[in-house]
Amino acid sequence: MVAMAIKLTPRSVTEKCGLCGREAAASADGPRLYLADRETAVCQGCGQKHAPSLAALVRLAQVARHVGRIGRHTVVPPMEALLALAQAAETYCTSVPAVARRAG
Ligand SMILES: [Zn+2]
């Protein structure tokens, strides 16, 4: 098992994935997956493979942030943005083990 952590990056950075060596997604600043014991980023694919709930949570945070930014400039965000947010939320909910869901 690979221990991972979510860390906030203050700026957009491009790093190699610490597990597969491919480029970890160079998203804008915000939450990203890292190896828990090192300052090494993890790509979305490896995150989904080794820590699916954390990867889904990072994705949910990224989509929510995007929709929030859109919402600052419009009364209602576009339907596609809201659907992306709903899909990210559903993916997160289904990625959390049943025991954790009952406890929360
Ligand atoms: Zn990887």
Side-chain angles (χ1 to χ4, degrees):
M1 183 175 163
V2 179
M4 293 190 196
I6 297 173
K7 295 184 181 182
L8 290 174
T9 54
R11 55 184 161 56
S12 178
V13 292
T14 302
E15 300 175 74
K16 298 285 184 192
C17 174
L19 296 176
C20 70
R22 286 182 286 192
E23 186 173 299
S27 63
D29 58 330
R32 296 178 71 177
L33 279 179
Y34 281 81
L35 294 176
D37 57 348
R38 289 182 272 162
E39 287 293 322
T40 305
V42 176
C43 73
Q44 188 72 14
C46 289
Q48 288 175 346
K49 182 177 177 184
H50 297 284
S53 60
L54 286 182
L57 185 57
V58 167
R59 180 69 185 141
L60 176 58
Q62 291 170 339
V63 173
R65 186 174 186 177
H66 175 70
V67 173
R69 285 182 174 162
I70 292 172
R72 288 185 195 156
H73 306 290
T74 62
V75 175
V76 178
M79 182 59 77
E80 63 190 44
L82 295 175
L83 291 173
L85 182 59
Q87 182 180 17
E90 183 178 343
T91 301
Y92 171 69
C93 286
T94 57
S95 70
V96 176
V99 173
R101 277 187 271 157
R102 272 188 259 134

